[in-house]
Amino acid sequence: MKNVLKGWVSRYISSEESILLLVVIAVTFLSIVFFGSILGPLFASIVIAFLLQGVVNKFRKLGISESFSVYVTFLLFLCALILLLIFVLPLLGKQMSLLVAELPNAASRVRDILSDLPEQYGEYITKEQLELVMLSASEKIGSLVEQLFSFSIAGLPSILAVGVYVLLVPVLVFFFLIDKD
């Protein structure tokens, strides 16, 4: 086994370029793992600015100056972002509240369906087995609700971080568009 590994290493990782590539990949991977939460808005801004550069180029082909094209493109991006925040987020919140309100009805329907199983399929499942499954499910649901509640309280700092990112990403996009050279 040692000879096989040594042969593989000497065959594939013997050149300086291979070692340098492995070091670059390892450093990049570790940087993303350790600094990913900090670099996330930066990467998102780079991708968005790259995508918006196509719009800037279209405006440039129409004969509009570079700086005016960037300003118009950025204003279109801001309008789209604001519309998204104004219309989609309240809709998402409404859908989530409807889901939470519907959960007890869904649980009741599932319990009714499960309670009919021993009568319909008595040879496969007994009433005692069903009671054990229902007891286990109710314990798991209780722990899930507890985790959800603790997550909602612990999620307040992350909500603040999202607010900062909503402000930070457009600013970074603007500067990436302006300073593309």
Side-chain angles (χ1 to χ4, degrees):
M1 180 69 182
K2 189 175 180 182
N3 291 334
V4 171
L5 187 60
K6 189 183 280 186
W8 185 84
V9 168
S10 67
R11 188 172 348 140
Y12 292 110
I13 311 179
S14 61
S15 68
E16 292 176 15
E17 293 88 8
S18 300
I19 294 171
L20 183 63
L21 178 64
L22 284 175
V23 168
V24 167
I25 289 173
V27 167
T28 303
F29 177 74
L30 291 174
S31 297
I32 290 173
V33 166
F34 290 117
F35 302 115
S37 61
I38 297 169
L39 296 175
L42 179 71
F43 291 151
S45 300
I46 290 171
V47 169
I48 293 170
F50 176 76
L51 294 173
L52 291 178
Q53 189 60 45
V55 178
V56 171
N57 292 341
K58 291 286 185 187
F59 283 135
R60 292 285 295 144
K61 286 183 182 177
L62 294 174
I64 301 173
S65 70
E66 177 78 23
S67 60
F68 190 70
S69 298
V70 168
Y71 293 136
V72 169
T73 302
F74 184 68
L75 283 175
L76 289 173
F77 167 68
L78 278 182
C79 289
L81 182 66
I82 290 170
L83 287 174
L84 180 81
L85 292 174
I86 289 174
F87 292 114
V88 173
L89 285 182
L91 183 63
L92 183 66
K94 186 177 182 180
Q95 291 294 320
M96 290 298 291
S97 65
L98 289 174
L99 174 68
V100 169
E102 187 63 29
L103 281 177
N105 293 337
S108 173
R109 281 183 263 159
V110 168
R111 188 179 22 201
D112 292 342
I113 290 170
L114 288 177
S115 66
D116 291 341
L117 284 179
E119 296 168 5
Q120 294 175 352
Y121 304 103
E123 64 271 3
Y124 300 114
I125 187 168
T126 64
K127 195 151 186 92
E128 293 79 25
Q129 290 173 330
L130 181 65
E131 288 175 4
L132 283 173
V133 168
M134 302 250 307
L135 179 65
S136 173
S138 66
E139 289 174 0
K140 289 193 187 278
I141 289 172
S143 69
L144 180 67
V145 168
E146 182 181 319
Q147 289 175 353
L148 185 64
F149 182 69
S150 66
F151 174 74
S152 66
I153 291 174
L156 291 177
S158 65
I159 291 173
L160 181 64
V162 167
V164 169
Y165 293 158
V166 165
L167 295 174
L168 181 65
V169 168
V171 171
L172 288 172
V173 165
F174 177 73
F175 285 116
F176 284 139
L177 282 174
I178 288 288
D179 294 336
K180 74 171 176 118
D181 297 326

